[in-house]
Amino acid sequence: MAIVHFPLKLVGRRMLAPSVGHYSFVRDDGQPLDFIPGQFIQVHFTYADGTATKRSYSLATIHDHAMGPGEAVEIAVSYVPGGAATALFEGLPEGGHVEASGPFGRFCLMPGDHNARYLLIATGTGVTPYRSMLPQLAALMSERGVEVVLLQGARTPTELLYGDEFRAFADAHPGFRFVPCLSRELPSHPHPDVRQGYVQQHLAEFAPDPARDIAYLCGNPDMVDACFEALKTCGLPIPQIRREKYVSSK
C-alpha cells in the first residue's frame, strides 16, 4: 500500500526551551489526521542538492478522540545547529506548508492492559508522546484507578519540555505523579517531587514491580538502554517494557 503524503499548514509556534520549538499545524487537504496517542508523523523535504529525506516527530497533539479525529497536528522540534530540518522549520512562515505522512508507530497505550501502574520515562523531546496521552491517562485513572508516574529528564528547568502542563495535570489528578529529574541545575524553589540527577538514577525509588507495572521509555538511546536493563533486573518481562529511541539527526 502506498504511503499517502499530505500538506500541513503552520498555524502557530512557540519556544518550549532555548533550542526546542512547539509547532502547531493543521492538515490542509480537507482530511482529518486520525492517530493514536504515542504515534509519530514523518516530514518530507529535500537537501540543498535535491536529495529526498525525512524526519520523524511524535505527535504532541491533545484532543478528545471520543469526538472523532481532528485536524490539529502539534510536534516538538529540536534545533540542531547547521541542520537541514532545523533550517526548514526555522524558515517556515506562518501559513507555510510542509509535506508529511503517517501516522506511524505502536508506542501507544494498549486497550488490553490491566496493570495497576504506568511508569512513563523520557528525556528531551521523548516526552512528547506522553503529552498526547494525557486525556487517555485521565480516563484510565478514573475508569480503573490506574496510577501513573512520569519521570522526565532534563538538564535545567528551562529545558523541561511541557513541564508546566505536566505539573498542572498532576495537581488536578491525584493518581499522577510528575517527577522532573534535573542533571545540571535545580529551580530556586523546587516542588517536592523534583529530583537532582538522571532519570535512571531515580527509577529504583519507585520500586518497579512486574506484578503491577508497565513501563514506557522514550528519548536518549543511552537512557533507554540503561532503564531497560534496570527494569529487567527488577523482573519486568520484556512485553511490559515499551521503548522508542530518539536519535537526533540533522
Side-chain angles (χ1 to χ4, degrees), residues 40-57:
F40 64 89
I41 58 166
Q42 292 186 325
V43 171
H44 301 261
F45 61 101
T46 56
Y47 289 124
D49 67 0
T51 308
T53 187
K54 62 191 175 185
R55 297 287 182 274
S56 299
Y57 298 97

Side-chain angles (χ1 to χ4, degrees), residues 62-140:
I62 295 177
H63 71 73
D64 184 355
H65 293 260
M67 301 296 289
E71 63 172 9
V73 177
E74 296 177 28
I75 59 174
V77 176
S78 291
Y79 296 156
V80 180
T86 298
L88 171 75
F89 283 103
E90 285 193 311
L92 192 66
E94 213 154 299
H97 289 80
V98 293
E99 186 183 327
S101 63
F104 306 105
R106 298 192 300 272
F107 189 73
C108 306
L109 300 170
M110 301 298 176
D113 287 345
H114 300 295
N115 54 312
R117 184 173 68 167
Y118 284 111
L119 297 172
L120 308 179
I121 304 162
T123 54
T125 51
V127 81
T128 309
Y130 304 143
R131 182 182 189 254
S132 74
M133 291 175 184
L134 291 177
Q136 272 189 323
L137 292 167
L140 290 169

